[in-house]
Amino acid sequence: VSTLYAQLTTAGAAKRDQIGNIVRFTTFRNVPKAAELKLLKYFDAHYTVSDGQDDVNVLMQMPYQLRVNCVNHIYRDTLLKAPLFSKCTEDMLKSITEHLVPQFFLTGDIFFREGATGDTMFFIEKGVVKLFLRKSNKVLLHLTDGQYFGEMALLTTRVRRRSARRRRSSTG
């Protein structure tokens, strides 16, 4: 029980420290209150979903080759589910995974807007993403865990033909 209490106390202290850092940052930079609240909401949701783990920071502290190997191990199966990457060699997969960056989106956040130039593809680890036409707000498709979108941006030079918004809990 004392070990569990110590872990919870340490995790709580780390979260409080980070919230303090965010408040000091937003105060120092005169960030509008609405933006500060959204930032705090984002941090709280991300902290809850990730159990306090900061993957990007941990990965960026690793030596390059170790980082590539770790990211390849974590995301290899996800890439192989996409027909675009299913026939890739191991070397090609490693080359692709070294460019993957975990991202977290709040409900309502926009991944991209229709008409924008695209250079990014997204894989949904958890959550629901709505693809829609912005002007008519017509929903074209809902995507969920394990699915991907935005791949046409990697294959063509066309602008995005639809918008994408997070509906429920999503890491991409």
Side-chain angles (χ1 to χ4, degrees), residues 130 132-139 165:
K130 171 176 79 170
F132 65 101
L133 298 176
R134 192 174 67 194
K135 290 183 181 175
S136 66
N137 208 25
K138 178 182 177 188
V139 175
R165 171 175 279 149

Side-chain angles (χ1 to χ4, degrees), residues 36-95:
E36 177 184 0
L37 292 174
K38 179 151 182 155
L39 184 58
L40 289 168
K41 181 180 177 183
Y42 168 86
F43 170 76
D44 186 56
H46 185 264
Y47 193 92
T48 301
V49 168
S50 68
D51 201 24
Q53 178 61 47
D54 183 358
D55 290 352
V56 173
N57 189 37
V58 170
L59 288 168
M60 294 315 291
Q61 292 180 37
M62 292 180 187
Y64 173 77
Q65 195 56 52
L66 181 57
R67 182 173 63 244
V68 169
N69 289 340
C70 283
V71 172
N72 187 55
H73 171 77
I74 294 168
Y75 297 112
R76 182 181 179 282
D77 291 341
T78 301
L79 276 179
L80 289 173
K81 288 178 188 174
L84 182 63
F85 304 115
S86 64
K87 304 267 192 273
C88 288
T89 65
E90 283 302 315
D91 286 342
M92 289 171 72
L93 287 172
K94 277 187 180 180
S95 179

